Amino acid sequence: MSDDQRDQTPAEPAAQAPLPAGPQPEPIPFFGTTWVEHDGGYALRRVGLAIGSLATAVAAALLLRFAYEGLEIGNVGPFLSISVVVLFAIASSIAFTKTWAAFSRRPAPSSDEAALKGLKAIGFIGSLIAYFLRCLGEAPGEKLRRAEYERAQAEYARRRSTRTGNPAARRPKRKK
């Protein structure tokens, strides 16, 4: 090594933000972690997402209406026309129910959620309506994540609380 190289100090490492102590809240899509303190445009985001999901549901219903009119123009018969309407109605109701339930509890790892993905995709209008209705009261999934976050904070506080005295200095218990 030359003298010039020895005299140079290494570059300062990039300043890293210290990791906060304790559990961190889980971000919600479109809301991030603003649901914790209801700050950062939380209410505006809720209103915007409610309007957006309702507008998307209306546009999807119109699209399905055009598809139904295409079936009528194609003269496929009443059985197929009624079957399509019933299929979308059942798929939408199942998608609504499953989406609504997902906001209040986590699905089991071995649940039937993976098997119902196709059905939920067909009944996407039900999922959009569930999202709209949940946005009227809170961020979708906020209640579940808040309960988990508060439970994790309480558990962290319990683990971090100080003990009374030194356990090594305690006297051994007497045998009776």
Side-chain angles (χ1 to χ4, degrees):
M1 261 173 97
S2 69
D3 290 333
D4 292 336
Q5 289 176 339
R6 274 185 250 144
D7 292 339
Q8 294 177 353
T9 57
E12 294 284 326
Q16 295 178 359
L19 293 174
Q24 298 302 308
E26 183 181 349
I28 296 176
F30 303 113
F31 291 93
T33 57
T34 60
W35 60 269
V36 178
E37 299 292 330
H38 291 186
D39 59 351
Y42 170 81
L44 189 60
R45 289 180 193 196
R46 263 189 37 215
V47 169
L49 285 171
I51 291 170
S53 62
L54 184 62
T56 306
V58 168
L62 287 174
L63 183 66
L64 289 178
R65 173 70 182 152
F66 293 142
Y68 180 76
E69 287 177 2
L71 289 175
E72 285 181 352
I73 292 171
N75 201 15
V76 294
F79 177 73
L80 186 59
S81 297
I82 292 172
S83 297
V84 167
V85 170
V86 169
L87 168 75
F88 275 103
I90 291 172
S92 290
S93 66
I94 290 172
F96 177 88
T97 305
K98 293 295 183 180
T99 303
W100 191 265
F103 293 144
S104 58
R105 64 176 173 77
R106 299 243 185 223
S110 64
S111 70
D112 59 343
E113 293 296 317
L116 291 176
K117 280 187 179 180
L119 190 61
K120 286 174 73 174
I122 293 170
F124 63 99
I125 293 176
S127 293
L128 289 168
I129 292 172
Y131 202 86
F132 164 72
L133 292 174
R134 185 58 81 156
C135 280
L136 294 178
E138 66 180 8
E142 177 182 346
K143 187 175 185 181
L144 171 67
R145 286 178 175 85
R146 186 172 300 281
E148 290 173 349
Y149 179 58
E150 288 174 354
R151 187 172 39 252
Q153 280 183 322
E155 189 175 306
Y156 177 78
R158 182 183 52 80
R159 284 193 319 255
R160 299 295 296 170
S161 64
T162 57
R163 292 182 282 189
T164 56
N166 183 357
R170 292 186 186 157
R171 287 190 231 154
K173 293 182 180 180
R174 287 193 233 169
K175 294 182 180 178
K176 292 184 181 183

